[in-house]
């Protein structure tokens, strides 16, 4: 799986491609995880390794996307899931890219007088959306 892999390119409707490979990698770590290593820790490590592909699924993000993840699972019944958080987050990233909201946000960050804020603009779309989700949650 390429390090530059992006969640927007992981279409859950297409079998055998990036979404399936990402899901298989996540499942590999989930099934081998010690007792106190949950979804949040696994997703944080995967995010560090593939920051454009794996969103961080912590309690706030899960709570925020719960209904959207269930709706996404209903759109992809062949996946056999009750909730699909990656698909819901992917939908949000795609929508915000298509509308221009995420690129506009990134441009505003770049124009900041503060170096720390300008560095935020270098984050992946997935991570930027994660930061916005935390701000809204």
């Amino acid at each position: 799986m390429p390090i530059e892999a992006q969640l927007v390119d992981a279409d859950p409707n297409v079998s055998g491609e990036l979404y399936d490979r990402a899901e298989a990698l996540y499942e590999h770590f989930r099934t081998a995880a010690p007792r106190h290593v949950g979804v949040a820790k696994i997703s944080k490590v995967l995010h560090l390794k593939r920051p454009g592909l794996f969103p961080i699924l912590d309690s706030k993000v899960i709570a925020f996307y719960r209904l959207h993840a269930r709706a996404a699972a209903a759109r992809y019944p062949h996946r056999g899931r009750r909730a699909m958080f990656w698909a819901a987050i992917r939908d949000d990233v795609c929508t915000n890219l298509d509308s221009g909201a995420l690129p506009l946000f990134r441009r505003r960050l770049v124009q900041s007088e503060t170096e720390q804020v300008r560095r935020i603009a270098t984050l992946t779309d997935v991570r930027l959306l994660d930061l916005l989700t935390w701000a809204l949650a």
Side-chain angles (χ1 to χ4, degrees):
M1 185 173 321
I3 196 161
E4 66 277 355
Q6 299 294 310
L7 185 61
V8 296
D9 298 325
D11 187 345
N13 208 30
V14 179
S15 295
E17 293 295 328
L18 185 56
Y19 194 94
D20 286 342
R21 291 194 316 263
E23 197 171 59
L25 185 60
Y26 171 80
E27 284 300 314
H28 168 77
F29 288 105
R30 189 189 65 75
T31 58
R35 227 175 79 194
H36 297 291
V37 175
V39 171
K41 287 179 183 169
I42 294 168
S43 68
K44 286 174 187 175
V45 170
L46 289 173
H47 177 76
L48 288 173
K49 294 298 187 179
R50 299 292 183 272
L53 179 61
F54 290 102
I56 297 172
L57 296 178
D58 56 30
S59 59
K60 283 197 178 210
V61 171
I62 288 172
F64 186 86
Y65 279 100
R66 187 173 319 280
L67 294 176
H68 300 288
R70 289 180 182 152
R75 285 194 313 277
Y76 305 107
H78 66 283
R79 295 236 167 233
R81 305 272 189 229
R82 291 184 327 160
M84 292 179 63
F85 289 94
W86 295 350
I89 293 168
R90 178 185 182 271
D91 290 344
D92 228 2
V93 171
C94 290
T95 297
N96 283 288
L97 285 171
D98 290 347
S99 73
L102 206 50
L104 175 62
F105 180 54
R106 191 180 300 281
R107 283 193 302 275
R108 296 262 169 95
L109 292 169
V110 168
Q111 295 168 351
S112 174
E113 295 178 12
T114 308
E115 174 62 26
Q116 289 174 317
V117 173
R118 287 193 304 270
R119 282 194 309 226
I120 294 170
T122 65
L123 297 173
T124 65
D125 294 331
V126 168
R127 185 68 175 131
L128 273 181
L129 187 65
D130 179 61
L131 294 175
L132 291 170
T133 302
W134 262 80
L136 296 172

